[in-house]
Amino acid sequence: MSEAKAPQQRGGQTEDVSAERLAEIGLRFEVDGEIATITLDRPDKRNAQTFATWSALARIGDSLPEQVRVVVVQGEGPSFSAGIDLRMFTPEGVPGQGSFGSAARLDSASFGQRIQAAQQGFLWLRRPEIVSIAAVHGHAIGAGFQLALACDLRIVADDVKFCMKEPALGLVPDLTGTKPLVELVGLAKAIDICLTARFVEADEAMRIGLAERVVAGGDLAKAVQDKAAELLSTNRDAAAATKRLLQGAQGRTLEEQSAAEGAEQIKRLKALFGAE
Ligand code: ACO
């Protein structure tokens, strides 16, 4: 495995995704051929997330090596992630990152930019060129649940406990989780899950379409590895084009989708038979 090279140059800023900087934030990032693995690595704090976690995730997305086709997101220790670092609710906040109290005093435009910046850490996991897999075990609470929802697929251990805790804390889920949740489980179930902030365990996650597969905790890494190998067995460009089609399907009519299929197929056949 190789670690990300740093620093990377993005948007005129020096973006530090060095292993040392990521370790300070509580993340690891490793690339092994076509598979990248992001590990939330603050197990003593149950992989609680901060603004620094989200901007580092965004930088990882920006600097993802081109050969990568599968991105695995996993958590070290007993929990996938206990969500946002609860120090954000204290007057002192998270050192160097402020608190919700200080953020709430920002004007709405600046606050909105901060939220958008945080969301960038999640949105790239949907890119057509990659398939992202959340390997989820233990608690996936709030931002942890939303990080799992940001991935294309969720393979879970039988001890998984998803919880959208935000409404219980007076917040809304704003880390891009509401749309995939509704798309996966439907509006009524999403309302039930979010507005009760209850735990969704493995059996239910499987039944309602939140999880693709449930395995014993000890088998999680192998199950994810097997899925990655299956995903890598198809043609890279065809996989990206098919993901684009599937992602666009719900927003199009049947006629529009058929036309989109045709347009993608023409590009594929021209590429395959050298007639570009
Ligand atoms: N932020 C900061 N620290 C945390 C967080 C968190 N979200 N969650 C756990 N920790 C810390 C604990 O304070 C404790 O630290 P300490 O050892 O210094 O006392 C350590 O992690 C272990 O926590 P325990 O509660 O002892 O671990 P346990 O395995 O028994 O329980 C659980 C895990 C269920 C995840 C529990 O820690 C918990 O409920 N955490 C808070 C979850 C939460 O409300 N998150 C916010 C969701 S909203 C959002 O994300 C926007």
Side-chain angles (χ1 to χ4, degrees), residues 42-49 54 78-79 81-87 89 100 139-144 146 163-166 169 171-175 199:
R42 237 181 122 205
D44 54 324
K45 299 294 176 193
R46 303 299 183 262
N47 301 325
Q49 303 172 31
W54 303 325
S79 302
S81 172
I84 197 164
D85 192 315
L86 291 173
R87 287 176 301 172
F89 289 89
F100 278 137
H139 289 96
I141 302 182
Q146 293 193 71
C163 170
M164 201 64 91
K165 185 81 175 283
E166 284 82 346
L169 298 173
L171 304 175
V172 299
D174 68 342
L175 294 167
F199 285 108

Side-chain angles (χ1 to χ4, degrees), residues 182-232:
V182 171
E183 287 172 355
L184 286 166
V185 306
L187 179 59
K189 188 58 76 183
I191 288 174
D192 167 29
I193 291 170
C194 294
L195 274 62
T196 61
R198 68 179 175 83
F199 285 108
V200 177
E201 301 194 10
D203 286 351
E204 183 182 5
M206 188 71 205
R207 186 161 35 82
I208 65 178
L210 203 51
E212 270 64 45
R213 194 169 164 207
V214 180
V215 295
D219 298 334
L220 186 58
K222 172 81 168 57
V224 170
Q225 219 174 39
D226 290 348
K227 182 55 68 186
E230 276 181 64
L231 289 162
L232 293 176

